[in-house]
Structure formats: structure tokens, C-alpha cells
Amino acid sequence: MVTSSILSPSDCFPQALADFENLVTKYGTVDPEGLTQRIRDASRLLFLRESNGQLVGVGALKRPRLGYRRKVFAKARASTPPDEYRVELGWVAVAKSHQGRGLSRRIIGQLISLAENENIFATTRADRRAMRFAADYGFKPAGKPYPSGRGYDLVLYLRNAGEKHLEGR
């Protein structure tokens, strides 16, 4: 059975933070430069673990600085002001051995429930699967896809707090 825990980074043991970073680096699409500090700066970290303690999935809610948000929104050529979206959903990663079990949906759903009264943004690869996930949770594309710098395009998605959502269908 897979259980979840959601913690502030300051409440995590150093090994838990290292395990989170390792899973994100291995299965996520993230720039590893400065990742350790960015994880420590996150608002909430979600850990999915098997009963034996094996970490099989992670995700986070982040509160990035306005400068970063401006950069992302500008790259996407989004017309929405970035100061209206202070929360970012990200670093959703599931171990290959546990993919296809709906764990990404579980991670996203649990994290969104912590910020349901806030506008949220996320970036993800420009592919059909990611677009379906985003739509299922009330995210809408903003602007245009833009190069990630790692060989694929990213899409900026926005989720407005005041709208009704189908939460993962």
C-alpha cells in the first residue's frame, strides 16, 4: 500500500530531502542546478512511500519569486500577469516501477487541495498526456509552448481559484 505525507521542507530529515531530490532528478524534467536549495524553499513537499519505506512518488507546491514567474510567463508569451499566480505546482515524479497506477493524479490532487483558494501555475512538457492531466485538474494553457533548453518544449498552465474544477475525473 502506498501512503502519502505532506511536509514543509523544514520538517523533513536531510535524507528525505535527498531522496526527494534524487527521484525528481531521475524521473522529473528539471534543471538540477540549484535544485537542492529550491527544494528547501518549497512551500510543501509530498512524499509517496510503499509500506517498506521505498519512495515511489513526489511533488511540491512552490512559492517562487516574482522574477522567476515573470521569466516563465514572458517565455510563454502569456498575457496574464504573473503576480496573480504566486503558487507553482511542480516536481511531480513517479518511479518507473510505479508508473501507470494513477499516482501522478493522486499527487496532483492532494497538492491542489492545499491551495484550492489560490491561483496556481505549472509548466510541463508539450505532449498530449500532460495536456490531458492539466485539463482534468482545471489548468488551461496560457501563451505558447516555449523551448525548455533541454530538447523539448514547455507549456505554461494556469488554474484559477474561483473556477469549478473536475479534480482528476
Side-chain angles (χ1 to χ4, degrees), residues 76-154:
R77 293 176 281 170
S79 58
T80 306
D83 54 329
E84 293 180 14
Y85 292 83
R86 293 190 165 101
V87 177
E88 180 181 15
L89 171 70
W91 300 327
V92 176
V94 174
K96 188 134 339 248
S97 61
H98 285 68
Q99 290 177 3
R101 298 183 188 185
L103 296 180
S104 291
R105 288 185 180 281
R106 179 172 165 183
I107 292 166
I108 293 166
Q110 288 183 343
L111 287 170
I112 285 175
S113 72
L114 298 175
E116 58 190 27
N117 295 322
E118 300 188 64
N119 293 336
I120 303 171
F121 78 98
T123 58
T124 188
R125 283 181 184 246
D127 66 31
R128 286 180 187 223
R129 184 171 173 260
M131 293 170 84
R132 215 172 30 249
F133 262 111
D136 287 352
Y137 284 93
F139 285 89
K140 295 178 183 157
K144 307 275 184 216
Y146 62 95
S148 68
R150 293 183 293 281
Y152 52 85
D153 285 346
L154 291 173

Side-chain angles (χ1 to χ4, degrees), residues 29-42:
T29 51
V30 64
D31 182 357
E33 187 174 327
L35 181 60
T36 301
Q37 187 59 50
R38 292 195 319 267
I39 290 170
R40 286 193 167 100
D41 291 342

